[in-house]
Amino acid sequence: MRMQNEVAIVTGAASGIGQEVSVQFAKEGAKVVLVDLNSCEKTIELLGEADYLECLGDIRDPDFVKAVVNRTIEKFDEVHVLVNNAGTCSRLDLEDMTLEMWERDLDTNLKATFLFTQAVIFPHMKEARYGRIVNISSVSGLNGGVVSGGDEKNGRSGPAYAASKGGVIALTKWVAKEVGKYGITCNSVAPGATATAITAGVPYDTSNQVIDRMGEPSDIANAVLYFASKEASYTTSQILKVDGGVSIG
C-alpha cells in the first residue's frame, strides 16, 4: 500500500488517464478527491471501498479551485498529492487557430495547473513539509506536436496545445526549484499518443515508434504513481516521456 491514508487530488478524474490514476491510487490506499466538469460516477464505481470526495466544476475558475482545496481539507484534514491531469486539445493549425480555442487550451492546461498548484502548496503542503505535485504534460510540449494521420492540414495537436503543455513543463521545473526546501517535489509525465477521449476518432500511425501501439491510460498512471509515492523522495523537476519511444531521434 504505497499511498496508505494519503490524500490525493486528481483533476480530470471522470475518464481516461485521470480515472486510471484515481483507481490506482485507491488500490494503493489513498483517499481520492475526484475533480471534473462531468460526473465521476464511473470512476466511483471502480474505487471499491476507497474513501473519496467528488468535486464537479470548472478548473479554470479560481473560486472553484479554492473550494476544492477547502473541501478536501474539511473532509480529510490534509492533502499530500496533486495530479494536474485535466486537459483539452484543439487540432486547428496556426492559420485556422481562433482566439477562443487558444484561450481554452491555455486556460485548461496551464492556468488550471498553476491555480491548483498554488492552492495546495500554500499553505497546506508548505506547513506539512511534504507534498507531491505531478503534472501531466505531453511530448507535444517538447517537440511541437504529435503528428497523427487523417487531415494533413490539422493532423497534429495544435499550437495552443503544444504551447500550453510546453508551459506546464516550464512551470514544473520552476515550481520544483521553489518548493524543494519544503519537502515538496514537482514532476511531470509527458505522454505520447494515448487512447483517451482526446485521441478518440483520430488515426495514429505508430509504426514509427519503437513500441508499435497506442499508449493506454494505465501506462501513464504507472508513471504518475511512482512520482506520487514516497519512493520518489529524491526525484524532482523531471519530465518522464511515456511515449512508446516516438521521441527517440
Side-chain angles (χ1 to χ4, degrees):
M1 304 294 280
R2 297 157 71 185
M3 298 183 67
Q4 186 68 45
N5 294 321
E6 295 205 349
V7 179
I9 297 174
V10 182
T11 69
S15 62
I17 294 170
Q19 181 179 85
E20 185 66 25
V21 167
S22 300
V23 172
Q24 285 204 25
F25 280 7
K27 288 180 178 178
E28 295 291 341
K31 304 168 186 178
V32 188
V33 180
L34 309 170
V35 181
D36 209 295
L37 191 61
N38 303 306
S39 171
C40 295
E41 180 180 359
K42 292 183 179 179
T43 304
I44 292 169
E45 292 175 359
L46 297 171
L47 293 181
E49 299 299 318
D51 202 353
Y52 72 90
L53 172 65
E54 182 185 38
C55 298
L56 303 182
D58 188 347
I59 62 172
R60 300 168 296 184
D61 179 358
D63 291 333
F64 172 70
V65 172
K66 292 176 183 176
V68 169
V69 177
N70 288 340
R71 288 183 62 191
T72 299
I73 299 301
E74 288 171 4
K75 182 174 176 64
F76 298 119
D77 295 324
E78 51 194 350
V79 57
H80 304 95
V81 177
L82 167 66
V83 180
N84 287 303
N85 163 74
T88 55
C89 177
S90 59
R91 295 185 181 277
L92 298 175
D93 69 3
L94 185 61
E95 182 179 6
D96 298 327
M97 175 59 59
T98 65
L99 181 58
E100 180 183 9
M101 285 293 98
W102 176 269
E103 291 178 342
R104 186 199 68 168
D105 283 2
L106 266 291
D107 285 354
T108 307
N109 302 339
L110 183 55
K111 175 184 173 182
T113 295
F114 154 70
L115 291 172
F116 267 102
T117 299
Q118 184 184 57
V120 298
I121 292 176
F122 304 105
H124 309 292
M125 290 182 176
K126 179 182 177 181
E127 291 182 351
R129 312 296 291 188
Y130 181 85
R132 298 282 184 267
I133 309 293
V134 187
N135 299 323
I136 305 301
S137 57
S138 169
V139 293
S140 291
L142 294 167
N143 63 17
V146 176
V147 177
S148 65
D151 186 347
E152 292 183 2
K153 182 176 177 61
N154 297 309
R156 61 175 171 158
S157 49
Y161 182 77
S164 66
K165 293 301 188 179
V168 168
I169 290 168
L171 180 63
T172 297
K173 295 177 179 181
W174 195 98
V175 171
K177 291 182 178 181
E178 178 74 8
V179 301
K181 57 182 176 282
Y182 305 130
I184 304 167
T185 65
C186 186
N187 294 286
S188 178
V189 177
T194 305
T196 65
I198 283 180
T199 59
V202 181
Y204 280 85
D205 179 8
T206 60
S207 61
N208 64 330
Q209 295 180 182
V210 176
I211 301 173
D212 186 5
R213 67 171 176 85
M214 290 280 284
E216 296 293 335
S218 59
D219 295 315
I220 314 306
N222 288 332
V224 173
L225 179 59
Y226 165 68
F227 280 142
S229 72
K230 290 182 173 64
E231 297 168 5
S233 63
Y234 198 52
T235 303
T236 197
S237 190
Q238 298 304 301
I239 314 302
L240 177 57
K241 294 180 284 187
V242 184
D243 63 357
V246 72
S247 295
I248 296 176

